[in-house]
DNA sequence: CTGAAAGCGCTTACAG
DNA sequence: CTGAAAGCGCTTACAG
């Protein structure tokens, strides 16, 4: 069943069918239009996206690159992106950024080969500027999710990581904590860097000097968080009563480490996370953390991208900033 | 950069370029081939998948339908499917089956409209036979993952849920448990039904009559597991020392319920899950469960599907059965 | 071994 | 308002 069949059935030319299909060019007689519509309905005809895309010289496929499919944080984001995309008739190709440049290059090859019409990039990692360059060179519209603040040339959704972390630490200080550790992700991960910056700002604001021994760099993984906490503990810092973690996975690892050592949370040490993944509600003590509207972030980013793709006004730079909010549960004392 | 440009640059016809691109029809002079290859290399030319698919009348897009994107169980599965697909140059369109028929129909519309070359279906739900019918009618090759045993006409990967659950319950009985509850998922979910069957078989095998009050139907969700456990407890069944759950989410809910009521796990009641999601290792006590090779399941299913798609021998029915294995952790006494 | 030509299913100026 | 025709970038008989 092709457009030709419909044309034949309706006794018109394919051009006319195409016109009603595209609903533009109002110039189609009401009678003709109705007849064609009825036939399309009856036959269940669906135009071939391949042919259409070929002539339009663009696909309706969006590339979505995330740092780690396994990170539960991405569930909602993906769902938001998908729902938004589907509503407008777009598809998603999902890519795992992983940690290697090779994989990253492979992803980009794949995406351009598939002729994606745009890319949503959520793996911002300062070491990966070559990615940015490649995409920009290819002139593929893109939106960065949670990239760094000054993504010149790219539109973006940002989460004000620094401010949220600052608020969290501020509240900790209000609650009487003075010696607060910080377990970060890898240095090249933007979100981690920003959260660390927020931590530093809060201390400064409260006139507490930042002791570098308080911060230890780990990775966004439970096992790494565990190790990080161990290392922090080994430093034997006097008066340590709280540690903020740059994501939930790290915090959960920290929790486990503390528990293994018989250190009470939050009585002896308070622990906080960031992201509010599902697990936060199910570990004990329940994790106090910072939540971001991930579903919305996903949705807004596709919408932004589609607007970009369809309007072709690629010059404009949009920016939407979300402010995450602190979710108080049980793992931090005094909040 | 199109095939025409390459042809011009190489001083040959597009037909020849196409031949070397497709690497078939050995009939291309060695010199010519080398020259063309070099030019392709130099220019970084990539053939348009749209054009190619149009003439070949098939896409290289695979539809992957899963029951619930949010269920952490799917992470690895998806990864396996993706890796397998990408290796062969296929794309994935991911769909959430959700619970409504409407959504399901919408998914199918979307997938056929996108002209997927095949479907991997992992949402088997007996109430959804209409889905099966639609797909079969459209003659789209598909493989069922963990569907029911007798998926006539469809190839499939099966997990021997019944046998694994039987083994688990068997071991529980060996360990001295005689009164074992069972928290199932919804009745129309195949995996749940099969796991329940395994439970029943183990009891029978051990000569323990099945008390229907011991089984309560819940859903594959933490909150539902909690409620289910509550209901089971309300029945005040004497001598209840263990409860097996048809998935990990339910088990985690059960754990929480028990904990709320101050009932010790596993000292007073043993609890087991199924699936071995990440969280199992991070709840306390760590959850004893049954693990499936999800990554492999994903990989094998794409490979199966691609073979099906490419060989066009759609008559043949393949079947691969995986046997999940029990993972002993802390939540069950005596294993 | 290689090329000219038709065709995949659509869209869109260009005429009328 | 409607149609004939060219063209999107490829593949594949059919000739030679």
């Amino acid at each position: 069943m092709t457009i030709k069949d419909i044309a034949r059935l309706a006794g018109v030319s394919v051009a006319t069918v195409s016109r009603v299909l595209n609903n533009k060019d109002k110039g189609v007689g009401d009678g003709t239009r109705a007849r064609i519509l009825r036939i399309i309905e009856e036959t269940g005809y669906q135009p071939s996206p391949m042919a259409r895309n070929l002539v339009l010289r663009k696909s309706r496929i969006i590339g979505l690159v995330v740092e780690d499919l396994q990170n539960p944080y991405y569930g909602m984001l993906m769902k938001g992106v998908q729902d938004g995309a589907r509503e407008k008739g777009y598809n998603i190709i999902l890519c795992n950024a992983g940690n290697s440049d090779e994989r990253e290059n492979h992803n980009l090859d794949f995406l351009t080969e598939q002729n994606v019409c745009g890319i949503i990039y959520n793996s911002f990692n300062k070491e990966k500027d070559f990615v940015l360059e490649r995409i920009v060179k290819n002139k593929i519209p893109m939106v960065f999710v949670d990239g760094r603040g000054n993504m010149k040339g790219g539109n973006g959704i940002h989460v004000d990581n620094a401010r949220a972390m600052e608020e969290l630490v501020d509240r900790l200080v209000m609650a009487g904590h003075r010696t607060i550790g910080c377990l970060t992700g890898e240095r090249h991960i933007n979100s981690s860097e920003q959260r660390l910056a927020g931590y530093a700002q809060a201390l400064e604001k409260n006139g507490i000097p930042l002791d570098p021994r308080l911060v230890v760099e780990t990775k966004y993984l439970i096992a790494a968080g565990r190790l990080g906490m161990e290392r922090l503990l080994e430093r034997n810092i006097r008066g340590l009563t709280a540690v903020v973690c740059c994501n939930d996975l790290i915090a959960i690892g920290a929790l486990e480490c503390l528990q293994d050592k018989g250190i009470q949370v939050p009585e002896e040490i308070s622990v906080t996370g960031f992201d509010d993944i599902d697990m936060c509600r199910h570990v004990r003590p329940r994790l106090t953390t910072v939540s971001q509207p991930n579903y919305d972030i996903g949705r807004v980013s596709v919408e932004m991208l589609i607007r970009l793709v369809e309007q072709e006004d690629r010059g404009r730079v949009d920016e939407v900033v979300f402010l995450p909010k602190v979710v108080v549960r049980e793992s931090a004392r005094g909040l």
Side-chain angles (χ1 to χ4, degrees), chain A:
Chain A
M1 180 77 17
T2 76
I3 198 174
K4 250 180 184 160
D5 299 311
I6 302 297
R8 191 167 30 71
L9 257 31
V12 297
S13 75
V14 298
T16 305
V17 177
S18 177
R19 285 194 190 96
V20 351
L21 240 26
N22 292 290
N23 207 27
K24 56 164 60 155
D25 219 7
K26 269 313 222 176
V28 175
D30 287 346
T32 323
R33 155 165 277 128
R35 187 152 33 95
I36 294 175
L37 249 20
R38 186 169 46 74
I39 294 182
I40 289 178
E41 172 77 16
E42 284 172 10
T43 57
Y45 163 72
Q46 290 177 327
S48 153
M50 289 185 241
R52 169 178 262 161
N53 290 341
L54 179 58
V55 31
L56 262 24
R57 343 193 82 227
K58 68 173 179 189
S59 71
R60 289 174 87 80
I61 303 181
I62 292 172
L64 171 60
V65 183
V66 301
E67 184 72 36
D68 177 13
L69 255 182
Q70 287 296 278
N71 186 330
Y73 163 85
Y74 288 113
M76 272 302 171
L77 214 224
M78 280 168 35
K79 217 166 181 171
V81 170
Q82 288 225 348
D83 287 353
R86 184 145 323 167
E87 258 173 36
K88 307 266 189 181
Y90 284 76
N91 279 339
I92 299 298
I93 293 180
L94 203 58
C95 290
N96 224 349
N99 282 316
S100 75
D101 286 4
E102 190 194 340
R103 181 161 184 85
E104 197 76 46
N105 265 315
H106 184 276
N107 278 336
L108 293 179
D109 286 344
F110 187 74
L111 291 178
T112 60
E113 190 179 332
Q114 294 301 320
N115 236 300
V116 294
C117 60
I119 295 180
I120 296 177
Y121 204 94
N122 186 22
S123 151
F124 246 97
N125 190 309
K126 291 185 298 176
E127 287 176 356
K128 289 186 182 164
D129 273 6
F130 73 93
V131 169
L132 182 63
E133 279 167 31
R134 279 199 52 177
I135 296 176
V136 168
K137 202 163 59 195
N138 284 323
K139 298 219 190 60
I140 300 178
M142 71 180 302
V143 350
F144 295 97
V145 175
D146 205 2
R148 46 185 164 175
N150 58 343
M151 213 72 268
K152 60 244 167 215
N155 293 34
I157 310 286
H158 301 294
V159 173
D160 198 339
N161 283 296
R163 186 127 81 94
M165 183 59 105
E166 186 180 342
E167 185 192 329
L168 178 62
V169 174
D170 210 38
R171 290 174 64 168
L172 248 16
V173 173
M174 292 302 158
H177 298 278
R178 307 249 95 201
T179 309
I180 303 174
C182 181
L183 265 31
T184 75
E186 291 164 283
R187 200 189 317 276
H188 56 267
I189 305 288
N190 278 289
S191 61
S192 179
E193 191 192 27
Q194 293 163 2
R195 291 165 193 177
L196 176 60
Y199 161 83
Q201 277 159 38
L203 292 188
E204 185 179 346
K205 175 179 156 197
N206 285 283
I208 302 177
L210 170 49
D211 177 353
R213 289 163 60 237
L214 282 168
V215 0
V216 359
E217 179 181 333
T218 70
K219 291 183 186 180
Y220 277 181
L221 295 171
I222 293 179
R226 210 176 171 120
L227 258 43
M229 189 70 224
E230 224 148 71
R231 254 189 294 146
L232 182 58
L233 254 21
E234 281 164 4
R235 322 241 246 236
N236 266 317
I237 299 171
R238 246 197 325 161
L240 180 74
T241 60
V243 7
V244 294
C245 304
C246 286
N247 91 348
D248 289 333
L249 265 13
I250 295 179
I252 291 170
L255 240 38
E256 292 184 358
C257 166
L258 259 13
Q259 174 177 296
D260 286 354
K261 303 212 180 305
I263 298 174
Q264 296 295 315
V265 178
E267 292 76 6
E268 300 178 63
I269 294 191
S270 291
V271 172
T272 64
F274 210 110
D275 285 349
D276 197 21
I277 61 176
D278 229 39
M279 238 187 264
C280 296
R281 262 169 293 250
H282 303 291
V283 292
R284 290 301 120 91
R286 292 177 181 85
L287 195 63
T288 288
T289 187
V290 176
S291 106
Q292 309 170 37
N294 285 330
Y295 181 84
D296 292 337
I297 290 177
R299 261 197 102 93
V300 171
S301 50
V302 235
E303 281 163 11
M304 201 179 228
L305 184 64
I306 292 176
R307 215 177 324 123
L308 218 58
V309 169
E310 293 185 350
Q311 301 188 348
E312 309 272 353
D313 58 349
R314 305 201 180 157
R316 197 167 44 113
V317 174
D318 264 18
E319 211 173 334
V320 175
V321 177
F322 285 93
L323 180 62
K325 66 174 201 294
V326 176
V327 178
V328 176
R329 285 199 269 256
E330 309 164 347
S331 66
R333 184 178 50 73
L335 292 197

